Amino acid sequence: MEIIGRGNSGTAGASIPFTPRAKSTFEYAWGESRARGAEQVRPEHLLLGVLNDRDGVGGQIITKLAADIDQVRRKLEERMNWRERSESLVAGMLTESATANWTTYGRRHHLIHELNALLDENERLHEQVAKLRDLLRQHDIDPDS
């Protein structure tokens, strides 16, 4: 609340236009998704848009919370590249002539969606394992022994 203040409660249900900064952030995210050949704007693209505008509220918050913004951007790029490679691999497998007779756009789209869900869960589990390993180290326990 200290950065942007309190809103007017009388605007409930009214159409609130985007601020120029928010519009710019969304446009940047849309451009990033298109440049990467994505069918939709994902949270990663939105985060890139927020990171692109370090003077905006979102950029200020991330700057306060993250020790290194460039490291956040690198990690995000790694995640997006990993996802793109995985999707490309699955799409390639699905378009091979041996499977062409049973695949449809809807089936491919569904399978890619399922793969994304698995990748997200895998990443979440890896993050939890890393946190557990850090906790063990904080208590002078070697997680590798």
Side-chain angles (χ1 to χ4, degrees):
M1 295 300 287
E2 69 185 52
I3 295 175
I4 59 172
R6 199 166 190 74
N8 181 358
S9 61
T11 60
S15 177
I16 302 172
F18 288 122
T19 64
R21 178 166 267 139
K23 184 177 179 195
S24 173
T25 298
F26 283 122
E27 288 173 346
Y28 187 88
W30 184 82
E32 281 292 320
S33 72
R34 294 298 163 249
R36 295 170 180 279
E39 293 180 10
Q40 58 190 4
V41 176
R42 294 190 177 128
E44 304 92 60
H45 304 125
L46 291 171
L47 182 54
L48 282 174
V50 171
L51 290 173
N52 185 55
D53 183 13
R54 293 184 184 190
D55 294 330
V57 174
Q60 290 177 37
I61 291 169
I62 293 172
T63 300
K64 283 184 179 184
L65 295 176
D68 184 0
I69 296 291
D70 292 327
Q71 182 183 11
V72 172
R73 184 181 299 278
R74 282 190 303 275
K75 291 267 190 200
L76 184 58
E77 291 285 343
E78 287 173 13
R79 182 182 192 282
M80 291 171 64
N81 290 336
W82 181 52
R83 180 186 293 263
E84 288 168 6
R85 285 192 309 271
S86 299
E87 286 180 0
S88 176
L89 177 65
V90 169
M93 290 185 324
L94 294 176
T95 57
E96 292 177 0
S97 60
T99 59
N101 59 352
W102 65 270
T103 58
T104 62
Y105 173 80
R107 178 75 175 146
R108 282 193 303 269
H109 186 72
H110 174 75
L111 290 172
I112 288 173
H113 175 74
E114 291 294 316
L115 174 66
N116 283 332
L118 288 171
L119 292 173
D120 288 342
E121 180 66 12
N122 186 49
E123 185 172 331
R124 188 184 65 76
L125 291 172
H126 280 288
E127 289 172 359
Q128 287 181 348
V129 167
K131 287 178 184 177
L132 290 171
R133 292 171 65 85
D134 288 342
L135 284 171
L136 288 170
R137 284 188 190 102
Q138 288 175 8
H139 293 286
D140 296 323
I141 300 171
D142 182 9
D144 299 318
S145 62

